[in-house]
Amino acid sequence: MKKLTQLLILCFSLGLVSAANAGDYTLDVSTQGQFVKPQTYHVPPGARIAALTSHWQLKTDAYPLGIALTREQDKLQQSRIRWALQYRLQDMHLASITRTSFYRQITSFVATGRVLWQFDWDLVDIKPKQNRPLIQGDTFIAPKRPSSIIAGGAASIAKIPFKGGMTVRDYMQSVHRLPGADPSYVWVITPDTKIRKIGVSYWNAQKAYLAPGSVLYVPLSGHKDFNDSMAQLYAAQILPY
């Protein structure tokens, strides 16, 4: 009995306990993809993200930068953004080829429920702003390491092989901009959901590099809100796992 009590105390200190052992209300959170043992955990209310990160193990071909946290409540918001983009697209004055490309991109977006926060998974336990409370249904998805980047937005949709040492401007040499595209900037969306505005013209070129699985989003000139929403949905997509 004493050993069982000690075990339960240890589990609660880690924030991990099975419903069968706890006998009280617990939250179900799960891991999927490139984890050594994808599973559902039962954690007590108030447990934080570090309770899982300190417990999980990744496979050798996992891509930590692309690990996604998904929540049901975020799926609804992403579905609304996708619907709003389709509605707005109808009234925008765009070339036919540009409109068609955006329509294809918008309708291909999945409302994944991905939470758009950046995490340092190895240090989340010492970063209070990242170590947030878990909620019922939280799912962590670890993707495989990708070997390409994606070009989209006001550009011909393309999958470009990743090559180390190439700058954003180097990659943009093979990207075909569509009518209405901003000629001077591109938005880089990294696999951890971070969005950066990078200058790529002769007068504002910035030396920036890409991580595998990044998105090069070419913005539309004069449509900031539309671009913001597009970038959010690109950031919410999950790499294959």
Side-chain angles (χ1 to χ4, degrees):
M1 182 67 182
K2 182 177 180 181
K3 289 184 178 180
L4 176 59
T5 302
Q6 290 174 336
L7 178 60
L8 284 174
I9 292 173
L10 175 61
C11 289
F12 271 104
S13 69
L14 291 173
L16 297 165
V17 62
S18 71
N21 286 337
D24 294 322
Y25 172 72
T26 59
L27 305 174
D28 296 333
V29 298
S30 61
T31 54
Q32 297 180 13
Q34 300 305 301
F35 292 96
V36 172
K37 188 179 180 182
Q39 60 186 295
T40 296
Y41 298 91
H42 308 289
V43 303
R48 293 179 176 269
I49 290 174
L52 261 66
T53 61
S54 62
H55 191 78
W56 71 34
Q57 290 180 293
L58 297 172
K59 293 182 179 178
T60 55
D61 57 348
Y63 190 45
L65 187 65
I67 293 177
L69 164 60
T70 67
R71 289 182 166 172
E72 286 297 321
Q73 64 192 34
D74 289 83
K75 288 184 180 181
L76 180 58
Q77 177 63 17
Q78 290 164 11
S79 294
R80 289 171 176 166
I81 293 174
R82 185 176 57 191
W83 177 86
L85 283 171
Q86 286 183 261
Y87 182 80
R88 290 181 60 186
L89 186 63
Q90 299 174 19
D91 297 325
M92 294 169 65
H93 299 291
L94 299 173
S96 177
I97 189 174
T98 305
R99 184 188 308 279
T100 299
S101 179
F102 271 105
Y103 179 79
R104 289 175 178 170
Q105 291 172 71
I106 293 168
T107 54
S108 71
F109 285 137
V110 177
T112 63
R114 185 175 189 177
V115 177
L116 301 186
W117 302 333
Q118 286 91 56
F119 294 97
D120 186 336
W121 298 109
D122 291 329
L123 300 175
V124 69
D125 58 328
I126 60 172
K127 294 190 174 184
K129 289 184 179 180
Q130 295 185 21
N131 192 19
R132 305 190 182 199
L134 295 164
I135 65 173
Q136 172 64 26
D138 276 356
T139 301
F140 295 82
I141 302 174
K144 297 178 181 178
R145 181 180 176 83
S147 58
S148 61
I149 64 168
I150 299 295
S156 295
I157 305 168
K159 183 184 249 186
I160 306 171
F162 172 78
K163 293 182 181 179
M166 286 182 63
T167 66
V168 170
R169 197 179 185 196
D170 292 335
Y171 280 106
M172 286 301 297
Q173 301 303 313
S174 60
V175 174
H176 175 66
R177 287 186 176 87
L178 298 177
D182 188 317
S184 301
Y185 291 96
V186 65
W187 294 6
V188 172
I189 305 165
T190 53
D192 62 351
T193 76
K194 185 175 182 179
I195 301 171
R196 296 182 295 156
K197 183 179 180 181
I198 303 295
V200 291
S201 189
Y202 71 93
W203 62 273
N204 69 344
Q206 297 172 259
K207 193 172 184 179
Y209 297 92
L210 293 175
S214 295
V215 174
L216 287 173
Y217 175 80
V218 179
L220 278 171
S221 292
H223 295 279
K224 184 181 183 305
D225 290 345
F226 184 86
N227 290 324
D228 286 343
S229 295
M230 286 290 297
Q232 285 183 49
L233 288 186
Y234 263 116
Q237 302 310 293
I238 298 173
L239 293 169
Y241 58 94

